[in-house]
């Protein structure tokens, strides 16, 4: 028992030593008002992502306390009203507070060093003024990437442009500026100039002409991207936001990734600014290869993804280092960039017959059924494992049945986005979009309640053909049986004239029982959450 007591005491000491502040409804507002800058995590004890974040959050808190940046957490199972007041809908939710009223979402990665970097940027002005050599030298190494503007005091245009860029990109980079011509001379530049300092590749890049907001932003994004970096949880979003295609180099071992990066460096240099290159750990994130239409498990492998166009170009030869040579990959990349290679499209077979009320769309039929027609097409992007999609299914079937008499004007459709490449960027499931006649290039996202009535009204109000079936939905809702979580039954055919009233009542009772049983099944499905799904690789 003595050892258990000591162990308990050790755990208690560790808990007491935390640098993350536990806040309640009563302590929250005074705390954020007393601290200039606070990062708050709204969490639930059962949340797996929250548990994964915990050690990273603790490490970041220990580092940031020396910079007077406080990290706090709020248990939303105990402080529900507080969490709802700040619009918390999922866990963990991280928000930045400068007092109780000045709130913005945290949009950085959830790793300790990334949290430190992001919050450090938040603590500084958009542009830090650097007056001395020591201040400049310290600033140059303050983060992996920093930008310093060397402008004359009277150069209002360059200073204003630089500050505008800094305001836009302050979440991504540190910005400093100096008007001292001697500091510019010591750095080998002439005013006006911008120098991007970085801890990788050649160490710095200089920008000295064409000072417009767009050209400076492009310079910052291009020069700050490693020639051949590493894709992971901390970098994936920045690669996707770069606006240019990304070439993936899949390999299992660090040595293999380093060797392939070295071999393909000339290819990356040739296409710098037009195409980003990055290695990716195939052991940790190999499942992502399937999203690029590569064969999962056969390494090394290479593929190019153009996220802006939602196109994928897998390199056919996998499993051999010799196949991923500078010559072969160089030619492949040249052909992709020139448009000589057709993008790869993953698709289920086109159904021989549409079985149910909802039209099934696959990648090969997407253009025909969704785009190349004069119908209003309501399309659900779903995943088979998604609990919310399962809960929606019977209501979506009912919705499709209601529009059946108007099939020449409206299509209610669905596509399995895990098995079909679609040209739309899907962030979660289910995603519902209306492709209205005459405006197929501007689909309208549905964000309302997932009820039959609301979906029908959405199609009516936003569709070009203005088809109204909401009366039928209202009649169904008033039929005496709860329909929000169950599919509606089609009106029964007229019974034989000889059927007695009591027989009809008995059949009606059985029908209600059947609906109740079906409703219970749907409610059970709707209670499924992402935690019921088997773990899978995510970037």
């Amino acid at each position: 028992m003595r050892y258990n007591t000591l162990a308990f005491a050790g755990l208690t000491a560790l808990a007491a030593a935390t640098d993350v502040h536990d806040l309640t409804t009563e302590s929250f507002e005074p705390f954020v008002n007393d601290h200039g800058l606070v990062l708050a995590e709204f969490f639930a004890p059962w949340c797996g992502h929250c548990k994964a974040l915990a050690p990273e959050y603790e490490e970041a808190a220990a580092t940031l306390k020396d910079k007077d940046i406080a990290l706090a957490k709020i248990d939303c199972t105990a402080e529900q009203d507080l969490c709802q007041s700040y619009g918390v809908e999922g866990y963990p939710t991280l928000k930045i507070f400068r007092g109780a009223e000045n709130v913005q979402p945290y949009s950085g990665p959830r790793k300790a060093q990334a949290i430190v970097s992001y919050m450090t940027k938040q603590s500084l002005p958009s542009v830090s003024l650097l007056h001395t050599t020591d201040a400049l030298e310290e600033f140059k190494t303050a983060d992996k990437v920093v930008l310093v503007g060397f402008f004359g005091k009277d150069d209002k245009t360059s200073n204003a442009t630089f500050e505008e860029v800094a305001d836009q990109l302050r979440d991504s980079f540190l910005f400093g500026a100096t008007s001292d011509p001697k500091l510019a001379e010591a750095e080998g530049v002439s005013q006006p100039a911008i120098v991007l300092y970085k801890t990788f590749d050649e160490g710095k890049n200089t920008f000295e002409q064409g000072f417009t907001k767009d050209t400076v932003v492009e310079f910052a994004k291009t020069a700050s991207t490693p020639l051949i970096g590493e894709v992971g949880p901390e970098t994936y979003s920045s690669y996707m936001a770069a606006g240019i295609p990304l070439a993936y180099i899949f390999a299992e071992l660090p040595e293999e990734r380093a060797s392939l990066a070295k071999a393909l460096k000339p290819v990356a240099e040739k296409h710098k600014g037009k195409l980003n290159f990055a290695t990716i750990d195939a052991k940790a994130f190999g499942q992502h290869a399937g999203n690029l239409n590569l064969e999962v498990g056969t390494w090394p492998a290479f593929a190019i993804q153009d996220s802006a166009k939602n196109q994928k170009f897998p390199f056919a030869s996998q499993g051999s280092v010799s196949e991923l040579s500078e010559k072969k990959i160089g030619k492949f990349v040249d052909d992709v960039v020139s448009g000589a290679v057709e993008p790869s499209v993953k698709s289920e077979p086109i159904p021989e017959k549409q079985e149910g009320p909802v039209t099934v769309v696959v990648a090969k039929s997407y253009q025909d059924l969704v785009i190349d027609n004069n119908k209003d097409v309501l399309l659900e992007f779903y995943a088979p494992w998604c609990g919310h999609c399962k809960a929606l299914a019977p209501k979506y079937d009912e919705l499709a049945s209601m529009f059946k008499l108007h099939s020449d004007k409206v299509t209610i459709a669905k596509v399995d986005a895990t098995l079909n490449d679609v040209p739309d960027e899907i962030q979660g499931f289910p995603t519902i979009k209306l492709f209205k006649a005459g405006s197929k290039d501007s689909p309208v996202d549905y964000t309302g309640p997932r009820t039959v009535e609301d979906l029908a009204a959405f199609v009516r109000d936003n569709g070009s053909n203005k088809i109204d079936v909401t009366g039928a939905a209202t009649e169904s809702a008033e039929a005496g049986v709860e329909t929000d979580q169950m599919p509606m039954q089609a009106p029964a055919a007229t019974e034989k004239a000889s059927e007695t009233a009591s027989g009809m009542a008995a059949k009606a009772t059985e029908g209600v029982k059947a609906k109740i049983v079906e409703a219970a099944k749907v409610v059970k499905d709707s209670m499924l959450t992402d935690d019921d799904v088997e773990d899978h690789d995510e970037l």
Side-chain angles (χ1 to χ4, degrees), residues 15 68 79 134 169 182 184 263 319 322 385 396 529:
D68 293 325
E79 311 295 339
D134 289 343
L169 301 179
K182 292 183 179 179
S322 62
W385 45 259
Y396 207 64
T529 66

Side-chain angles (χ1 to χ4, degrees), residues 48 63-64 70 135 186 251-253 286 304 327 330 332 334 352 417 433 452 459 480-481 497 504 513:
T63 302
L64 289 171
E252 290 186 294
L253 301 177
I304 297 173
K327 181 178 180 180
F332 176 72
D334 287 343
E352 294 182 5
K433 294 175 180 281
V452 175
V459 174
V481 179
M504 292 170 65
K513 288 181 180 179

Side-chain angles (χ1 to χ4, degrees), residues 299-329:
W299 318 118
F302 183 88
I304 297 173
Q305 179 184 20
D306 187 340
S307 57
K309 298 178 181 178
N310 205 11
Q311 294 178 338
K312 307 159 187 180
F313 303 88
F315 184 61
S317 298
Q318 292 184 231
S320 172
V321 173
S322 62
E323 289 297 315
L324 272 62
S325 65
E326 176 191 344
K327 181 178 180 180
K328 292 180 179 179
I329 293 298

Side-chain angles (χ1 to χ4, degrees), residues 264-278:
L264 298 180
K265 183 178 178 180
V267 183
E269 287 175 333
K270 178 180 179 181
H271 295 280
K272 185 172 177 62
K274 297 179 181 178
L275 193 72
N276 284 328
F277 281 70

Side-chain angles (χ1 to χ4, degrees), residues 348-371:
E348 294 180 280
I350 297 176
E352 294 182 5
K353 181 181 179 183
Q354 297 287 351
E355 300 290 347
V358 177
T359 299
V360 176
V361 174
V362 298
K364 292 179 179 178
S365 64
Y366 186 94
Q367 192 70 23
D368 180 44
L369 294 178
V370 180
I371 306 300

Side-chain angles (χ1 to χ4, degrees), residues 505-527:
K507 288 178 178 291
T509 301
E510 290 301 317
V512 171
K513 288 181 180 179
K515 289 181 179 180
I516 292 173
V517 170
E518 191 170 3
K521 180 179 183 299
V522 175
V523 171
K524 179 180 178 182
D525 286 342
S526 70
M527 294 173 68

Side-chain angles (χ1 to χ4, degrees), residues 234-286:
E234 293 184 35
T235 59
Y236 180 74
S237 60
S238 61
Y239 275 117
M240 292 299 100
I244 60 176
L246 174 61
Y248 292 86
I249 305 167
F250 285 86
E252 290 186 294
L253 301 177
E255 310 87 71
E256 288 180 323
R257 295 195 292 276
S259 175
L260 286 168
K262 183 178 180 181
L264 298 180
K265 183 178 178 180
V267 183
E269 287 175 333
K270 178 180 179 181
H271 295 280
K272 185 172 177 62
K274 297 179 181 178
L275 193 72
N276 284 328
F277 281 70
T279 60
I280 180 169
D281 185 346
K283 281 186 177 180
F285 307 115

